[in-house]
Amino acid sequence: MTEPRICVGAFAGSYGVRGEVRLKSYCADPAAIETYGLLYTEDGEKSFIVGITRAIKNGFAARVEGIQTKEQADALNNTQLFVSRDVLPSLPDDEYYHSDLIGLTVLDTGGTEIGTVQSVQNHGASDLLEIAGPSLKASVLYPFTVAAVPTVDLAAGRIIVDPPEGIFSEPSDTEV
Amino acid sequence: MSRSVWKGPFVDSYVLKKAEKSRESGRNEVIKIWSRRSTILPQFVGLTFGVYNGHKHIPVNVTEDMIGQKFGEYSPTRTYYGHAADKKAKRK
């Protein structure tokens, strides 16, 4: 597996004594983890076919093909599970996977590099890009809107931003 | 016990002034505020506020469905990053 991989979950030990495993899912819809087919380890050497049997506290109980005993299930503890980026379904316009946005170079409309996208967050209002770079003292949260981010070029690995006034500068007014 | 209706919604006066000034100027700017307790009013729709969370100003684009809630609700003071996995972001 040489293509980009995305971490979608992890094994968290055994469940019961019949070879079932505890499965933690990091997906937006937790149960979607079993729909992505083969799940790989970080180095891509091992692959697993996972079938969810039921929901349990903090995750799922699952059967893994080839795992029959509790000892085998215990040995998988803390194994992170990855899928190929190509497995994820394509999205409509103006919708992006967080994993695609993270790492993109951020340029302003004049072509000056501001930094890179560190994470994507949503606190209930709109999606926010966390941007960090050498020119910034600390990371900045930036609204992911059409007005503020006119261009997203995944192929070139960059986004162009039209920052509203005051977003990349320190607060000059401190009245409360 | 909820707030008496006759008092009207609470908003710090400086937030109102800043919002009015920004709306009049028509500039594309983030209005930095520290008042997490202020209620979001209908005249704030369309503006972007930078709501302080004790550490930094979180940009909040005000939309109609936020009216009546407090600014602080959209600017959490603790952040859990989690995993990106297959999560999606929509550019609105």
Side-chain angles (χ1 to χ4, degrees):
Chain A
M1 236 173 101
T2 52
E3 62 270 26
R5 285 171 293 148
I6 295 163
C7 182
V8 291
F11 290 128
S14 60
Y15 185 74
V17 293
R18 294 180 182 173
E20 279 185 301
V21 294
R22 285 177 185 272
L23 179 66
K24 285 193 289 186
S25 172
Y26 304 144
C27 300
D29 169 21
I33 191 169
E34 71 171 347
T35 64
Y36 293 137
L38 278 178
L39 303 176
Y40 293 87
T41 53
E42 190 168 8
D43 54 16
E45 284 180 4
K46 287 184 188 170
S47 61
F48 307 96
I49 296 174
V50 174
I52 292 172
T53 50
R54 62 193 168 279
I56 58 173
K57 191 179 175 186
N58 296 330
F60 295 103
R63 282 245 165 243
V64 181
E65 225 174 78
I67 304 296
Q68 305 295 335
T69 64
K70 175 176 162 46
E71 287 70 30
Q72 287 174 315
D74 274 332
L76 296 175
N77 193 13
N78 293 329
T79 305
Q80 293 207 307
L81 300 168
F82 291 78
V83 294
S84 164
R85 166 65 186 82
D86 306 336
V87 173
L88 300 182
S90 58
L91 295 174
D93 283 352
D94 285 338
E95 213 171 321
Y96 304 90
Y97 286 110
H98 287 197
S99 49
D100 289 343
L101 294 171
I102 293 169
L104 295 184
T105 306
V106 181
L107 306 172
D108 68 10
T109 44
T112 313
E113 187 173 331
I114 295 170
T116 54
V117 178
Q118 302 292 305
S119 69
V120 184
Q121 299 174 21
N122 190 325
H123 302 316
S126 63
D127 289 301
L128 300 167
L129 305 177
E130 185 183 10
I131 299 171
S135 60
L136 302 169
K137 272 187 185 173
S139 62
V140 171
L141 289 170
Y142 189 87
F144 189 51
T145 59
V146 176
V149 185
T151 308
V152 179
D153 190 347
L154 293 180
R158 65 182 186 180
I159 60 173
I160 295 171
V161 297
D162 184 9
E165 239 172 83
I167 203 152
F168 287 121
S169 62
E170 288 297 301
S172 56
D173 42 359
T174 54
E175 75 270 31
V176 177
Chain B
M1 192 172 153
S2 57
R3 182 179 168 86
S4 299
V5 175
W6 64 266
K7 293 180 183 174
F10 172 81
V11 188
D12 270 311
S13 57
Y14 87 91
V15 175
L16 275 174
K17 281 182 201 161
K18 278 188 158 187
E20 202 177 323
K21 203 172 153 188
S22 171
R23 190 169 282 286
E24 279 169 9
S25 71
R27 287 189 306 183
N28 178 23
E29 64 177 348
V30 174
I31 306 165
K32 284 184 172 150
I33 61 169
W34 284 256
S35 174
R36 300 168 55 82
R37 60 185 183 171
S38 291
T39 309
I40 299 175
L41 301 180
Q43 58 262 42
F44 297 159
V45 171
L47 299 175
T48 303
F49 290 85
V51 184
Y52 198 57
N53 71 352
H55 177 56
K56 57 173 87 167
H57 292 269
I58 310 288
V60 174
N61 290 319
V62 178
T63 55
E64 272 182 25
D65 51 358
M66 295 179 186
I67 293 169
Q69 284 165 300
K70 309 289 184 188
F71 279 110
E73 293 178 58
Y74 297 98
S75 176
T77 54
R78 293 170 179 84
T79 305
Y80 172 66
Y81 284 88
H83 290 265
D86 63 350
K87 295 182 184 83
K88 299 161 199 138
K90 191 165 188 183
R91 196 165 54 137
K92 291 172 190 166

